[in-house]
């Protein structure tokens, strides 16, 4: 389930690079809040404080209630960095599980 959340969030964040309707970006904010919240919770269950802080911070960054106005260009950079980070975490967990 966590892999699906990470893949889904990465895809949504990369789709934000396209010129989409404003409602799509609102949906991404809600989905990111929920997805990163779940990832933060599972990280806390595993007692992984670093991951919990990262995912919790991302949930706060993307939350739709008190929007952080960074401008389109900065948000695009953030989306790419976070999307790549999610994919990298999948790869790293894959490598760990093969050992």
């Amino acid at each position: 389930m966590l892999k699906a959340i990470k893949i889904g969030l990465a895809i949504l964040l990369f789709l934000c690079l396209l010129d989409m309707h404003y409602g799509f970006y609102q949906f991404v904010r809600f989905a990111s809040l929920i997805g990163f919240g779940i990832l933060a919770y599972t990280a806390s269950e595993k007692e992984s404080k670093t991951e919990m802080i990262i995912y919790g911070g991302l949930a706060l960054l993307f939350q739709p209630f008190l929007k952080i106005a960074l401008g389109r260009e900065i948000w695009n950079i953030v989306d790419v960095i976070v999307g790549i980070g999610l994919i990298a975490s999948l790869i790293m967990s894959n490598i760990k599980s093969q050992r």
Side-chain angles (χ1 to χ4, degrees), residues 5 29-39 59:
I5 291 172
R29 285 181 171 271
F30 278 105
S32 296
L33 173 65
I34 293 167
F36 288 127
I38 291 169
L39 292 172

Side-chain angles (χ1 to χ4, degrees), residues 50-69:
T50 304
E51 282 186 44
M52 181 188 70
I53 290 169
I54 290 169
Y55 291 135
L58 289 170
L60 290 175
L61 177 66
F62 284 96
Q63 57 81 26
F65 305 110
L66 298 172
K67 295 178 187 168
I68 299 172

Side-chain angles (χ1 to χ4, degrees), residues 15-78:
L15 285 174
C16 285
L17 299 175
L18 303 174
D19 189 24
M20 305 293 263
H21 188 271
Y22 183 73
F24 175 77
Y25 300 109
Q26 288 296 102
F27 169 74
V28 171
R29 285 181 171 271
F30 278 105
S32 296
L33 173 65
I34 293 167
F36 288 127
I38 291 169
L39 292 172
Y41 176 77
T42 56
S44 72
E45 290 289 309
K46 294 178 186 176
E47 297 183 8
S48 178
K49 285 192 176 206
T50 304
E51 282 186 44
M52 181 188 70
I53 290 169
I54 290 169
Y55 291 135
L58 289 170
L60 290 175
L61 177 66
F62 284 96
Q63 57 81 26
F65 305 110
L66 298 172
K67 295 178 187 168
I68 299 172
L70 297 178
R72 177 127 170 107
E73 295 82 20
I74 302 294
W75 271 115
N76 284 345
I77 293 168
V78 170

Side-chain angles (χ1 to χ4, degrees), residues 4-14 28 31-32 35-36 39 83 86:
I5 291 172
K6 289 180 180 182
I7 291 169
L9 287 174
I11 290 170
L12 286 175
L13 292 173
F14 289 134
V28 171
S32 296
F36 288 127
L39 292 172
L86 287 167

